[in-house]
Amino acid sequence: MLGYPAHFGQMECLKLVASPKFADKRLGYLGIMLLIDEKTEVLTLVTNSLKNDLNHSNMYVVGLALCTLGNISSSEMARDLCSEVEKLLGSSNTYIRKKAALCALRIILRVPDLIENFLSRAKTLLNDRSHGVLITGVTLVTEMCRQNPENIEVFRKGVPLLVRHLKNLTSAGFSPEHDVTGVTDPFLQVKILRLLRILAKNDQEASDAMNDILAQVATNTESAKNVGNAILYETVLTIMDIQSEAGLRVLAVNILGKFLSNRDNNIRYVALETLNKTVGIESQAVQRHRNIILDCLRDGDISIRRRALELSFALINESNVRVLTRELLAFLEVADTEFKQSMTTKLSLASERFAPNSRWHIDTMLRMLKLAGNHVREEVLSGFIRLVVQTTQLHQYTVQKLYAGLKQDISQEAFVLSGVWVIGEFGDVLVSGGNFEEDNAQIHVSEDAVVDLLESILIGPYANQLTREYVLTALMKFSSRAVGNDVQSRIKNLLQEHTSSMEVEIQQRAVEYTHLFSFDSIRAAVLEPMPVPEGRPIIDSNENGPNSPAPGKTSAKSGPSDQDLLLDLMGVGTASGGGELDMTAPPESPAAVQSPTVPQQQQQQQSQHSMDLLADLFGGGSGSSAPAAPAPAPAPAPAPIPQAEHPKSSNDALMDLLGGAVSNTTITTASAYPNNNNNNNNNTFDLSSLGQSMPRSSPASPQRNNAASPTSNGYQAYSNNGLKIELVPSRDRNNPAIINIQVLFSNSGAEGVISSLQFQAAVPRSQKLQMAPASSSTVQPGGTEKQLIRINNPQQVGMSIKRQEK
């Protein structure tokens, strides 16, 4: 007791319980309830005394036994004394019936299997005229329905009886025995309302039976007192949970709206919490109280502000997005720090979902980034950048807004990062637009002014490593768009200053960018604007510009594949790399409008040539000393690259830039890799179709005639010494970023039984690999074993496979 050992008093309590005197029994049972719990071994000795006292002729002794059993009963004791408690539920004494009902509640909580023993007795308790017995009976029935939902059908027949009880309570006159501040027995009313809510859920007939009484309680209950508010709150919950009439639900929402005007913070909190749950049911009714909800954003209680903020976001729709977003942005300026990150995320989602037009969407995001740029998640920032890139008709407007904002304030990190990124991508659009007005002030724009701004951010007090990385990249991007030699020299000097930076990433970028100035033939291609990112819906501009697809024609893909994005970033396989038409380029890309027609064969050659170059860059077969076996059918040579008149082609220069030696051997096409007679230890073949248009949850079929030795089921990765390995890739149904590869090991029988088979795989750090165990490490002649590989490719980049035998 209170942390002190009390075992010395337990036996003394047992002796007092065995005494025939009522005073001794009362003291003994009180001591047992204080000193013994259901886990104490001595408790088993109390069972016999309780059984004797439950059958005692004195009702107060029976009451002591019931009270003790209801407080310390264990599961074993509940089973032993269940029959006695069931018998006492039918007692003619209201005092005993009330305590027996509470004791039965304890028993079914400890042993739910005993519920059936009390079903018939519980029904009779609902007919009792005593308020004390009725409230305990309602509590017992409520717990029975919660423990076993099948009992709801049993007690649903008692709905008219409960409605009659509730009607008598609301229409009864003054009763001093049950009156609480002018309300008749509010505790019983609340209990009945809770039971009605359970019984009428998902049942139209029961709901119709209680619509009238709920409306009567909602309109007649006085809300000036706290007890009245408690009844009204339970009434609202009941109305919202059952299949009530529309007018009744509106009445419930109006009650909650009245709660918001109450001075009691607890009542306002309860109202906001309930409105958050009901806004999806009666959105229009909740919208009528929008002004009061917005006023709660300025409440002094932080919990009320938090709930009002959640409700405000839930109220946003197409019709009020402008008004609510303006109010939320005003609150964002003075909001608590802990609110700002969640607010920026929800504002971004709401703007994206309900934006009336692209310009309003961009203005809202810019305002949000200015106010809380230090509390913006990475995905919100990337979403804004994606929005800017997609909205081509507003590039000049957006870059001017960001430029003017950065001239005024560079303290908000996300605003600085987005501004620097956009200026780096569209700096030529900013300079070509010339001077402009912003807030009645003339903003001067020139190439030197842009470099000055980027330099001030670079050396400013708010710059961190991430900001410096962005600025260096933006400077390098802007160098390919600037025409002045003095600007080029300034950028080179700024980059040169950071080649000895203590931050490794900064130093690496500065060194690589400085070295890139030596490759003028490919610098513009490497630094050309990024294409429209894939994976998010493009905003419809409602304009049929020159880059819009022709009417009646739809593109097979909404954007470029991940493979083409990487090639475009490197300047390979797009307009900047070879001057040929790239059919997968986005509409905004110059590659899409260079040539109206290109032969299909030339497109395949260009795509294959690009993939071969990527394979060579990342350890592919072109760098291998041993030549690959010829393909069954010779493929035409890739189309020549326009820069061939230079001493080095752009591809060779790119290879030198990335540190790779250009091999004199011909780049092997993907169709030549998986030849059965090829004994090279290192082979690379193409799986780029996995990241493009492969159907989900079905084996991937190659989309080009020169794909990687496709078989009828997938890709043949190995065939030697009687063992053939095939890879059958497919997209996961639930997550397109996950690729399932079924590995099939087939034994032709030429070498007999193949045992101790081990298959190993590795992926780059940007991906994650999960390998299930093989069905067997032994492959019988003519048999096939399987092993499943799951690759998580979150960036969904193009994939190639490099084979290495041991």
Side-chain angles (χ1 to χ4, degrees):
M1 186 170 62
L2 299 178
Y4 292 95
H7 58 275
F8 63 89
Q10 295 174 356
M11 296 305 298
E12 297 299 326
C13 291
L14 291 176
K15 294 178 183 178
L16 290 173
V17 167
S19 173
K21 296 181 180 180
F22 175 78
D24 293 344
K25 285 183 179 294
R26 182 173 60 180
L27 184 60
Y29 279 127
L30 178 61
I32 287 175
M33 285 186 282
L34 294 176
L35 304 179
I36 300 177
D37 58 24
E38 58 183 284
K39 298 179 182 179
T40 308
E41 296 181 358
V42 183
L43 187 62
T44 56
L45 302 176
V46 186
T47 306
N48 190 52
S49 298
L50 285 174
K51 187 171 185 178
N52 293 332
D53 289 337
L54 288 175
N55 295 311
H56 203 280
S57 58
N58 189 332
M59 69 174 186
Y60 297 108
V61 174
V62 177
L64 286 176
L66 289 171
C67 186
T68 305
L69 181 61
N71 279 279
I72 65 170
S73 173
S74 63
S75 57
E76 293 80 7
M77 184 181 290
R79 288 188 176 92
D80 294 338
L81 301 178
C82 173
S83 58
E84 278 73 13
V85 175
E86 180 185 358
K87 184 175 62 176
L88 292 175
L89 281 173
S91 173
S92 59
N93 192 313
T94 57
Y95 175 80
I96 293 179
R97 289 202 306 273
K98 176 177 67 176
K99 289 188 175 292
L102 293 176
C103 188
L105 178 63
R106 169 81 177 201
I107 290 175
I108 65 173
L109 287 174
R110 289 292 174 266
V111 188
D113 296 340
L114 298 177
I115 290 180
E116 296 181 359
N117 296 358
F118 299 103
L119 283 177
S120 59
R121 295 293 187 182
K123 293 178 184 178
T124 60
L125 293 178
L126 298 180
N127 289 313
D128 207 295
R129 303 183 62 181
S130 170
H131 284 210
V133 177
L134 185 57
I135 195 172
T136 54
V138 170
T139 306
L140 179 61
V141 172
T142 302
E143 189 58 36
M144 286 181 173
C145 295
R146 288 176 178 171
Q147 290 278 347
N148 188 0
E150 295 179 359
N151 294 327
I152 294 178
E153 289 294 333
V154 177
F155 292 106
R156 188 166 282 161
K157 299 177 182 178
V159 168
L161 179 62
L162 293 172
V163 169
R164 188 165 63 251
H165 284 313
L166 189 58
K167 186 175 182 180
N168 292 335
L169 289 173
T170 55
S171 60
F174 176 75
S175 174
E177 184 181 357
H178 307 110
D179 183 80
V180 179
T181 63
V183 180
T184 303
D185 206 342
F187 303 101
L188 180 56
Q189 291 191 47
V190 168
K191 291 285 186 179
I192 293 176
L193 287 169
R194 288 178 181 175
L195 180 55
L196 289 174
R197 182 161 71 245
I198 295 174
L199 296 178
K201 192 170 185 178
N202 301 324
D203 187 89
Q204 186 63 50
E205 183 179 354
S207 300
D208 294 339
M210 61 184 70
N211 277 334
D212 293 340
I213 187 59
L214 290 176
Q216 184 178 344
V217 173
T219 53
N220 294 342
T221 303
E222 180 63 40
S223 61
K225 302 292 179 63
N226 200 38
V227 291
N229 290 327
I231 296 174
L232 289 174
Y233 174 65
E234 289 295 334
T235 305
V236 170
L237 293 182
T238 304
I239 292 173
M240 290 302 176
D241 269 10
I242 68 174
Q243 299 179 6
S244 56
E245 300 174 350
L248 203 56
R249 292 197 297 269
V250 173
L251 177 61
V253 173
N254 292 338
I255 292 174
L256 295 175
K258 191 182 298 183
F259 281 176
L260 292 177
S261 303
N262 200 297
R263 295 182 179 181
D264 191 341
N265 287 350
N266 295 320
I267 295 177
R268 280 187 291 167
Y269 180 87
V270 165
L272 290 170
E273 184 73 17
T274 310
L275 285 172
N276 266 312
K277 299 176 182 177
T278 59
V279 65
I281 303 174
E282 283 294 328
S283 178
Q284 292 300 323
V286 180
Q287 291 282 357
R288 299 191 186 99
H289 305 281
R290 188 175 64 201
N291 294 333
I292 302 178
I293 295 169
L294 292 175
D295 289 340
C296 291
L297 292 174
R298 301 171 181 84
D299 194 90
D301 192 326
I302 187 172
S303 60
I304 292 179
R305 293 200 301 272
R306 181 181 288 109
R307 293 293 171 263
L309 188 60
E310 294 175 359
L311 184 55
S312 299
F313 280 112
L315 290 175
I316 297 179
N317 55 33
E318 294 87 347
S319 60
N320 60 19
V321 61
R322 293 177 182 269
V323 177
L324 279 179
T325 303
R326 183 170 61 248
E327 293 288 342
L328 291 171
L329 286 173
F331 176 67
L332 179 62
E333 193 169 2
V334 297
D336 302 83
T337 304
E338 61 183 286
F339 290 165
K340 289 188 175 181
Q341 188 177 70
S342 63
M343 283 192 66
T344 54
T345 304
K346 292 179 180 179
L347 277 170
S348 174
L349 293 174
S351 300
E352 180 180 359
R353 183 178 179 184
F354 302 113
N357 54 66
S358 302
R359 179 162 179 169
W360 180 90
H361 191 183
I362 290 176
D363 286 339
T364 301
M365 295 297 293
L366 287 174
R367 175 68 174 162
M368 183 189 73
L369 293 175
K370 285 182 181 179
L371 293 175
N374 292 328
H375 306 276
V376 174
R377 294 178 179 173
E378 182 181 351
E379 55 268 26
V380 176
L381 177 59
S382 62
F384 172 68
I385 292 176
R386 185 182 298 110
L387 169 66
V388 174
V389 176
Q390 289 175 340
T391 317
T392 55
Q393 72 275 16
L394 294 176
H395 280 174
Q396 181 174 350
Y397 173 81
T398 306
V399 72
Q400 287 179 349
K401 284 283 187 179
L402 287 166
Y403 179 80
L406 291 177
K407 297 280 283 186
Q408 298 174 358
D409 182 21
I410 59 173
S411 62
Q412 301 297 324
E413 181 181 6
F415 185 73
V416 172
L417 293 178
S418 59
V420 168
W421 194 96
V422 173
I423 290 174
E425 290 293 317
F426 310 112
D428 52 340
V429 178
L430 175 63
V431 175
S432 63
N435 299 340
F436 62 93
E437 285 192 5
E438 179 70 19
D439 296 334
N440 299 324
Q442 190 75 11
I443 306 295
H444 173 68
V445 179
S446 65
E447 292 181 351
D448 285 318
V450 173
V451 176
D452 289 339
L453 175 61
L454 294 177
E455 183 179 7
S456 66
I457 296 173
L458 189 62
I459 63 177
Y462 302 103
N464 53 26
Q465 180 176 344
L466 183 61
T467 306
R468 287 190 285 271
E469 292 172 6
Y470 271 59
V471 173
L472 290 182
T473 304
L475 284 169
M476 194 62 201
K477 287 258 188 178
F478 189 68
S479 70
S480 66
R481 295 144 176 76
V483 295
N485 292 330
D486 54 340
V487 175
Q488 299 274 355
S489 300
R490 285 189 62 189
I491 294 176
K492 290 177 66 175
N493 293 334
L494 286 173
L495 294 173
Q496 189 68 35
E497 292 176 1
H498 290 81
T499 54
S500 58
S501 173
M502 295 296 293
E503 297 168 332
V504 178
E505 178 67 22
I506 301 296
Q507 182 186 113
Q508 180 179 353
R509 291 192 185 212
V511 171
E512 291 176 353
Y513 292 159
T514 304
H515 190 50
L516 188 57
F517 276 100
S518 304
F519 298 88
D520 290 334
S521 61
I522 66 168
R523 184 160 62 93
V526 173
L527 299 174
E528 69 177 4
M530 296 290 290
V532 177
E534 188 180 12
R536 296 293 291 268
I538 300 176
I539 299 176
D540 186 9
S541 61
N542 296 324
E543 294 179 5
N544 294 323
N547 295 331
S548 301
K553 296 183 180 180
T554 57
S555 175
K557 296 179 67 176
S558 60
S561 67
D562 297 308
Q563 163 198 340
D564 295 326
L565 296 183
L566 181 58
L567 295 176
D568 193 42
L569 174 63
M570 298 168 58
V572 181
T574 62
S576 58
E580 297 180 18
L581 176 64
D582 187 357
M583 297 300 291
T584 60
E588 294 79 11
S589 173
V593 293
Q594 278 193 1
S595 175
T597 59
V598 174
Q600 181 70 19
Q601 186 178 12
Q602 189 176 0
Q603 300 170 29
Q604 295 178 356
Q605 294 169 1
Q606 177 67 19
S607 177
Q608 183 62 41
H609 179 75
S610 303
M611 284 306 301
D612 293 338
L613 178 58
L614 279 180
D616 192 44
L617 285 174
F618 296 111
S622 64
S624 176
S625 59
I641 299 178
Q643 286 90 347
E645 64 270 6
H646 295 288
K648 284 187 177 182
S649 68
S650 62
N651 291 340
D652 296 340
L654 181 59
M655 290 296 296
D656 284 343
L657 174 64
L658 297 176
V662 180
S663 173
N664 292 328
T665 60
T666 304
I667 297 176
T668 309
T669 58
S671 61
Y673 291 144
N675 192 302
N676 292 353
N677 299 322
N678 186 4
N679 295 325
N680 291 339
N681 289 336
N682 292 313
N683 291 295
T684 304
F685 58 90
D686 175 29
L687 277 183
S688 60
S689 61
L690 284 174
Q692 298 180 10
S693 58
M694 184 185 67
R696 297 184 182 179
S697 298
S698 61
S701 57
Q703 299 185 7
R704 299 185 298 272
N705 293 332
N706 56 348
S709 183
T711 67
S712 59
N713 294 326
Y715 296 86
Q716 181 174 303
Y718 176 83
S719 180
N720 203 356
N721 299 326
L723 176 65
K724 182 172 70 172
I725 301 177
E726 294 182 10
L727 306 179
V728 183
S730 63
R731 280 283 178 87
D732 191 83
R733 287 182 182 272
N734 301 322
N735 188 350
I738 293 180
I739 298 173
N740 299 322
I741 300 179
Q742 187 76 40
V743 186
L744 305 177
F745 307 100
S746 302
N747 184 0
S748 63
E751 300 292 335
V753 178
I754 300 176
S755 59
S756 303
L757 177 65
Q758 290 186 357
F759 184 80
Q760 298 179 353
V763 295
R765 292 184 178 179
S766 61
Q767 303 170 2
K768 293 184 179 180
L769 175 69
Q770 180 182 4
M771 297 183 65
S775 57
S776 176
S777 61
T778 302
V779 187
Q780 300 294 334
T784 301
E785 302 297 337
K786 299 179 181 180
Q787 185 172 7
L788 179 63
I789 299 177
R790 291 170 60 86
I791 300 176
N792 186 5
N793 185 15
Q795 300 177 359
Q796 301 188 24
V797 297
M799 298 179 60
S800 63
I801 293 183
K802 180 179 179 181
R803 189 185 74 197
Q804 183 173 2
E805 303 173 24
K806 294 186 179 179

